[in-house]
Amino acid sequence: MLILGVESSCDETGIALYDSEAGLLGHALHSQVAMHAEYGGVVPELASRDHIRRVVPLLQAALAQAGRSLAEVDAVAYTRGPGLSGALLVGCAFAEALALALDKPTIPVHHLEGHLLSPLLSADPPVFPFIALLVSGGHTQLMRVTGVGQYELLGETLDDAAGEAFDKSAKLLGLPYPGGALLSQLAERGDPARYSLPRPMLHSGDLNFSFSGLKTAVLTLVREQVEPLGDDFRADAARAFQEAIVEVLVKKSLKALKQTGLKRLVVAGGVGANRQLRAMLDDEAKRKRFRVHYPELAFCTDNGAMIALAGCLRLQAGASTKPAGAFSVQPRWPLIAPGSGAC
Ligand code: KG4
Ligand code: ZN
């Protein structure tokens, strides 16, 4: 079974081909970061227009890489939400129209489910059940995952997502959009002993998070400085921020493992690329004897491969496809319906 995956929820256009037997055969990605950087953040209208420009060339590139033709595609999976409505509509309309022309069904996919399952694309994939720490630009959640479509929310952020806190703090330190990865590079040469920032909700007794106060703590540090900010200050403040957020993410993940008795942790979403987070989790995994899995770096942030994979796994788990043609997107869409424990 060959699944074509289409991702367009925010500022990356991704197209991929995933085969149920042979795995990922081809994927192509275009990031709009350079285009939005000029404005200091994503401009939704520009994002939609750029997705339109990119989808067809990316489809051609993915097909060429896979050595397959469109006629061989069995179903088209695409991100239905959550995300920017205009951006979602481009991928959705493209996928539905293509499937209609090919006379093949479609599989609307939840973007977070794509992230959640993305570590299964790696050479050493996790087996169910596991705890998932989902840390993206828009979400921070701890989940118990017992199978495809079987997700139980254990805790989540009450305000800013981890990636959002990285990006906002980066902006306060004068880094260009999207600053998360740049902040973490800066933090690597920062002095961890110079500043100590609060660890929000570390001892809250539950598995929830709150990161907006941490961003305010960075703002307070910045305000105490005389402009322009010096290089050493920026590196030390970045390090203090990263030390705090990583400690909270790691400790809450350990708590989720302990609480559920599970021995496997899967980290997914853009912040999963963070080196300090990975190093601390690897260290704890050795000491406390659990396994930790990450998506390959290329699949941490948004991509089409995770959507093709999620579509394929959904089909294999018995989910039904839908006839191509009629469609809608869901810019706001909880992965776990309130009170249901399932997606
Ligand atoms: O998963 P993703 O593509 O976003 C959503 O689907 O929302 O992740 C993007 C987020 C951004 O906030 C970005 O700053 C953050 O991931 N990010 C990082 C790193 N690389 C990307 N945050 C911390 N350290 C990194 N190395
Ligand atoms: Zn994402």
Side-chain angles (χ1 to χ4, degrees):
M1 189 165 54
L2 185 64
I3 308 295
L4 177 72
V6 180
E7 157 63 30
S8 72
S9 64
C10 188
D11 57 351
E12 261 108 17
T13 325
I15 305 276
L17 284 149
Y18 186 87
D19 182 89
S20 51
E21 302 300 317
L24 185 64
L25 298 182
H27 70 103
L29 187 71
H30 175 77
S31 167
Q32 305 175 354
V33 160
M35 181 180 77
H36 296 297
E38 213 182 307
Y39 305 93
V42 177
V43 183
E45 179 62 25
L46 292 183
S48 312
R49 290 178 190 206
D50 200 63
H51 287 307
I52 293 173
R53 265 195 298 273
R54 306 289 173 182
V55 276
V56 173
L58 288 172
L59 171 66
Q60 285 161 345
L63 285 168
Q65 197 186 87
R68 297 295 183 96
S69 71
L70 273 180
E72 293 171 86
V73 170
D74 294 301
V76 183
Y78 64 88
T79 305
R80 183 183 187 187
L84 301 170
S85 49
L88 287 166
L89 271 169
V90 175
C92 168
F94 171 72
E96 291 286 351
L98 185 63
L100 193 64
L102 296 171
D103 197 19
K104 293 287 154 60
T106 54
I107 318 162
V109 168
H110 195 293
H111 181 78
L112 292 185
E113 185 171 33
H115 276 303
L116 197 66
L117 299 174
S118 63
L120 295 168
L121 288 164
S122 62
D124 177 22
V127 289
F128 299 112
F130 53 76
I131 292 293
L133 171 68
L134 187 64
V135 271
S136 71
H139 294 83
T140 299
Q141 297 181 328
L142 272 165
M143 268 177 275
R144 186 212 304 257
V145 179
T146 31
V148 175
Q150 293 173 339
Y151 314 125
E152 181 193 350
L153 186 65
L154 303 175
E156 64 183 334
T157 183
L158 305 180
D159 41 54
D160 291 355
E164 191 180 355
F166 263 96
D167 294 338
K168 286 178 175 170
S169 299
K171 198 168 188 176
L172 291 170
L173 295 174
L175 296 169
Y177 158 86
L182 293 174
L183 183 146
S184 80
Q185 280 169 25
L186 193 61
E188 295 203 356
R189 56 182 180 79
D191 175 2
R194 182 157 167 209
Y195 301 113
S196 177
L197 295 186
R199 271 67 171 153
M201 294 187 73
L202 188 58
H203 303 294
S204 62
D206 58 19
L207 295 171
N208 290 329
F209 305 89
S210 164
F211 295 123
S212 71
L214 193 50
K215 165 200 68 194
T216 311
V218 173
L219 177 65
T220 307
L221 273 189
V222 168
R223 285 202 173 136
E224 286 164 3
Q225 303 301 306
V226 181
E227 300 272 353
L229 302 176
D231 281 352
D232 284 349
F233 165 76
R234 290 175 353 131
D236 296 343
R239 183 58 180 261
F241 167 83
Q242 188 166 276
E243 291 278 331
I245 198 162
V246 164
E247 185 180 338
V248 176
L249 292 172
V250 170
K251 295 253 167 84
K252 295 265 174 169
S253 301
L254 296 181
K255 191 173 165 65
L257 288 167
K258 195 170 171 199
Q259 197 170 296
T260 56
L262 293 177
K263 291 281 174 202
R264 264 182 299 275
L265 176 70
V266 163
V267 183
V271 181
N274 187 270
R275 285 184 26 185
Q276 194 175 343
L277 176 66
R278 288 185 175 218
M280 196 164 163
L281 282 174
D282 288 343
D283 199 43
E284 291 290 351
K286 254 188 230 132
R287 293 199 311 120
K288 301 212 164 70
R289 295 173 189 280
F290 62 88
R291 287 287 316 271
V292 55
H293 296 263
Y294 311 95
E296 285 175 29
L297 279 179
F299 302 132
C300 270
T301 44
D302 295 349
N303 63 85
M306 67 184 194
I307 302 303
L309 169 79
C312 186
L313 294 179
R314 283 225 135 216
L315 278 190
Q316 286 175 329
S320 51
T321 53
K322 71 169 215 42
F327 61 86
S328 64
V329 294
Q330 267 182 271
R332 287 170 181 273
W333 185 12
L335 177 58
I336 299 159
S340 80
C343 168

